[in-house]
Amino acid sequence: MVNKQQFKKPNHAIVEDIRLGNSEQYGTEQLKELLKLLPEAEEVKRLKEFKGDPNKLTLADSFMFLLIQVPRFEVCIEAMVLQEEFLPSCTVMSREINIVRQATEELMTCEELHAILHLVLQAGNIMNAGGYAGNALGFKLSSLLSLADTKANKPGMNLLHFVALEAQKKDEALLKFPEKLTHVQSAARISVENIEGEFSSLYVKTRSLEQKIQDDDELQKQLGPFLQSSTHALQDLKQRRLDLRKKGNALIDFFCEDKDTFKLDECFRIFQDFCLKFKKAVKICQALTPANHSALPHLSSNHIHLQLIIIIIITTTHTSPQLIVWSRL
């Protein structure tokens, strides 16, 4: 049944709003609920055959009786729903595209991060010195999540602590690289696939509405301005999506991952987690006294056992990387 308390207006006023396409005072959710209540063909036929006094009908039947008098009432309500959800959806997509784009740029341009990744690479090469996997040029990004699990012979210490200490010796500014990846933290909470799905859904709904009213002069006059502005907005979003896709592919290439299997969503989550773990490691290392530093384990295959598969390139320059493979130790 139609919930009168929900709409808070008399039947004739609601129906008139539907006729005129006045959607603002209802909102997306109420209009979607109204779509679910629309009468089926048999009910429409029954109401059209009704010859009695409409005032004697139940509240719900009275509403439906008035509603079916509106030409193409289903399309009118669908249009109202689209008008209410279009701008909020575009705003969210636009904001999320901006965040992902900025996060991508941060990962490609943060020299402090690149220096830290180079230290990770050096640590792996030290442990693999003398073996066929020594002198590797890079490692798989997902391996960053395992650094804290690579334990040293000193209780409570792991490979990530070693990397943090080496960074501190080299340049303390390197320890603050997470501060330069602010958008990466936000991007990790965004699904790029969801952006694609939301855009496709909005595009299909808009094109569908255009097709439904193409032979209806009255609805074209009523909805023309909205459809024109929505078309421009979708064209802009489409171009920004394409630009984002190019930047995302460039980032994946930068880290020499496979574009067919490695997604931006995974990339951002990896670096978000790595930043959190690195900051924890830095706090522990900074709490150590100089005397404690001398007691820390030296990096060698006898003390720390690195179990990583390394197949991507870390480089602090923008030159073309070369691929090399590390095998599991």
Side-chain angles (χ1 to χ4, degrees), residues 1 66 71 93 112-113 125 153 202 222 226 236 261 290 302:
M1 292 183 61
L66 294 173
M93 281 190 286
E112 292 82 359
L113 168 64
N125 278 334
N153 63 341
L202 209 57
Q222 180 177 303
F226 163 71
D236 178 64
T261 59
N302 294 326

Side-chain angles (χ1 to χ4, degrees), residues 97 100-101 104 240-248:
I97 288 173
V100 173
R101 177 182 58 79
T104 300
R240 292 174 64 194
R241 280 173 53 251
L242 293 175
D243 292 341
L244 180 63
R245 192 176 299 169
K246 290 179 182 178
K247 287 183 178 293

Side-chain angles (χ1 to χ4, degrees), residues 89-294:
S89 294
C90 284
T91 300
V92 170
M93 281 190 286
S94 179
R95 179 181 62 82
E96 291 183 341
I97 288 173
N98 281 338
I99 290 173
V100 173
R101 177 182 58 79
Q102 289 172 300
T104 300
E105 292 175 355
E106 287 173 355
L107 289 175
M108 291 192 68
T109 60
C110 182
E111 295 182 358
E112 292 82 359
L113 168 64
H114 301 164
I116 292 295
L117 296 179
H118 189 258
L119 287 175
V120 174
L121 177 62
Q122 287 181 318
N125 278 334
I126 290 173
M127 289 188 295
N128 286 314
Y132 74 94
N135 298 318
L137 299 179
F139 59 88
K140 190 175 177 65
L141 281 185
S142 58
S143 299
L144 291 172
L145 304 180
S146 303
L147 297 182
D149 299 326
T150 307
K151 306 300 180 183
N153 63 341
K154 185 174 179 61
M157 301 302 294
N158 58 54
L159 182 57
L160 197 54
H161 294 117
F162 174 85
V163 172
L165 285 171
E166 290 301 304
Q168 187 173 8
K169 293 177 186 176
K170 186 175 182 180
D171 184 354
E172 287 202 4
L174 299 181
L175 303 180
K176 297 182 179 180
F177 82 86
E179 297 178 5
K180 295 192 174 183
L181 303 181
T182 55
H183 290 93
V184 172
Q185 312 301 317
S186 299
R189 297 188 291 271
I190 294 172
S191 170
V192 176
E193 290 186 3
N194 283 351
I195 295 176
E196 296 286 342
E198 181 63 25
F199 176 84
S200 296
S201 175
L202 209 57
Y203 182 86
V204 168
K205 290 178 182 178
T206 305
R207 297 289 82 82
S208 175
L209 180 60
E210 284 183 331
Q211 292 173 3
K212 288 179 180 179
I213 70 168
Q214 61 183 354
D215 297 323
D216 191 320
D217 293 339
E218 187 64 30
L219 285 179
Q220 279 195 347
K221 181 179 179 181
Q222 180 177 303
L223 297 171
F226 163 71
L227 288 174
Q228 185 175 14
S229 64
S230 64
T231 298
H232 290 317
L234 288 171
Q235 288 175 344
D236 178 64
L237 278 175
K238 181 179 180 180
Q239 186 58 52
R240 292 174 64 194
R241 280 173 53 251
L242 293 175
D243 292 341
L244 180 63
R245 192 176 299 169
K246 290 179 182 178
K247 287 183 178 293
N249 287 338
L251 178 66
I252 293 174
D253 284 340
F254 181 74
F255 289 123
C256 292
E257 290 281 358
D258 184 351
K259 289 193 290 289
D260 294 330
T261 59
F262 191 76
K263 306 300 180 184
L264 275 181
D265 294 352
E266 180 184 0
C267 180
F268 296 138
R269 286 193 294 269
I270 287 172
F271 279 108
Q272 179 194 41
D273 189 71
F274 179 62
C275 287
L276 292 174
K277 290 181 177 180
F278 187 83
K279 287 191 287 187
K280 290 180 181 178
V282 169
K283 286 183 179 180
I284 293 175
C285 293
Q286 289 179 336
L288 297 173
T289 64
N292 294 136
H293 285 193
S294 61

Side-chain angles (χ1 to χ4, degrees), residues 50 53-58:
F50 178 72
D53 185 358
N55 295 323
K56 294 183 179 180
L57 293 172
T58 64

